[in-house]
Amino acid sequence: MSAQTEGELPGVVVTGVSGRMGQMLVREIVAQGKLRLVAGVEREGHDWVGRDLGEAMGGAPLGVPVTDDALEAFSKAQAVIDFTVPAATVAFAELAAQARAVHVIGTTGLSEGDLAHIKAAARHAVVVRAGNMSLGVNLLTLLTKKVAAALDEDWDIEIIEAHHNQKIDAPSGTALMLGEAAAEGRGVRLADVSDRGRDGITGARKRGDIGFAALRGGDIVGEHDVMFAGPGERIILRHVASDRALFARGALRAALWGQDKAPGEYDMLDVLGLGED
């Protein structure tokens, strides 16, 4: 990790900087003034590479370069914020570990193999990974676990999520996070009870399964319902995000929180002080 002068703000790199979340992160970093923007990273051949980040975003110069050399950028920073795609995130995890930079991961759609690579990287650096970085969703996760623990399998659990029409993975990372919380509350593995694909003559719903439904349309930022459907009654826990900036603010909070932590994997419950002992 690059040396940090006393009193200097921690340096941060944003990956996938031309994307929707990348640009939102840049705007929040500049507005908050709690982190020092070191560089934006884009893939090789992208037309932003070599340009000033502010000008590439259509605004005033920021004096911050866009580069395709992630390792060089990471070596100058204390944190990396990464909302990209699984293959890129796995590569960035190794590079962030080499640089000993806090790696904040908001990427979704990660496979078990991807997670194993990230876990290995976390032996050398702080990794904060969450399917959703909002306070409300993380509170919803805790509530989902508690309600699932209190109800038996006479109560069916369904997770319904809605996002914009450009989202490329389903179920959403947040939906899976909620599913994991429900499964943990019941003392089972989500992989053993997950029901995601219903089409045609599926037969009756299997007792104890946790179902998922994904809706895509328009510019929906993110909506998540956890429904517990029992005999004669239902409990519905809901979170609606109306401003994508809340995810950026959570990521920045995670980057700052991780500065004095020991290497390892953390989540937003840790960052928000909501982790259970």
Side-chain angles (χ1 to χ4, degrees):
M1 182 163 58
S2 65
Q4 187 178 348
T5 304
E6 185 176 355
E8 186 178 49
L9 296 176
V12 61
V13 173
V14 176
T15 64
V17 74
S18 71
R20 190 187 319 219
M21 271 306 302
Q23 294 188 55
M24 179 67 72
L25 285 161
V26 170
R27 287 191 287 270
E28 283 295 315
I29 291 166
V30 172
Q32 287 191 15
K34 296 178 181 179
L35 290 162
R36 176 173 49 89
L37 191 59
V38 172
V41 169
E42 262 304 341
R43 65 187 180 277
E44 184 178 358
H46 193 283
D47 60 9
W48 281 26
V49 172
R51 298 177 62 190
D52 178 273
L53 177 53
E55 292 178 338
M57 290 177 59
L62 291 174
V64 175
V66 180
T67 179
D68 57 11
D69 189 338
L71 181 57
E72 182 193 18
F74 293 2
S75 69
K76 299 175 181 176
Q78 284 74 47
V80 175
I81 304 181
D82 178 16
F83 285 73
T84 54
V85 296
T89 290
V90 168
F92 291 146
E94 181 177 345
L95 298 178
Q98 289 181 42
R100 301 299 189 263
V102 175
H103 189 189
V104 179
I105 300 175
T107 303
T108 58
L110 295 160
S111 69
E112 290 299 320
D114 297 332
L115 295 176
H117 284 291
I118 291 168
K119 187 177 186 67
R123 292 199 293 264
H124 307 286
V126 173
V127 174
V128 181
R129 183 180 65 82
N132 192 298
M133 298 200 174
S134 82
L135 172 60
V137 162
N138 283 278
L139 287 170
L140 178 60
T141 301
L142 286 181
L143 291 171
T144 297
K145 180 179 176 181
K146 290 181 181 297
V147 174
L151 302 175
D152 62 22
E153 291 186 349
D154 285 339
W155 292 77
D156 298 323
I157 302 177
E158 292 286 320
I159 299 170
I160 305 100
E161 55 100 343
H163 283 86
H164 56 86
N165 58 20
Q166 299 301 302
K167 186 166 178 61
I168 62 174
D169 59 308
S172 69
T174 302
L176 293 173
M177 187 168 77
L178 293 168
E180 291 284 0
E184 189 176 347
R186 280 194 167 168
V188 298
R189 293 177 65 248
L190 181 60
D192 296 334
V193 298
S194 179
D195 182 5
R196 303 192 197 178
R198 295 175 182 152
D199 185 28
I201 308 300
T202 61
R205 188 187 196 282
K206 184 179 176 182
R207 178 181 167 88
D209 274 0
I210 296 175
F212 292 85
L215 311 179
R216 296 289 178 267
D219 59 357
I220 300 170
V221 173
E223 300 178 4
H224 294 86
D225 290 353
V226 183
M227 180 176 69
F228 298 86
E233 57 184 330
R234 283 177 291 163
I235 299 169
I236 300 175
L237 306 177
R238 179 164 226 227
H239 180 268
V240 176
S242 57
D243 181 0
R244 185 167 275 98
L246 70 93
F247 307 127
R249 288 191 288 269
L252 269 56
R253 183 169 177 171
L256 287 165
W257 176 89
Q259 291 302 306
D260 60 355
K261 302 303 183 292
E265 280 192 280
Y266 302 90
D267 60 24
M268 283 301 292
L269 292 178
D270 297 312
V271 174
L272 298 168
L274 299 173
E276 297 177 318
D277 296 331

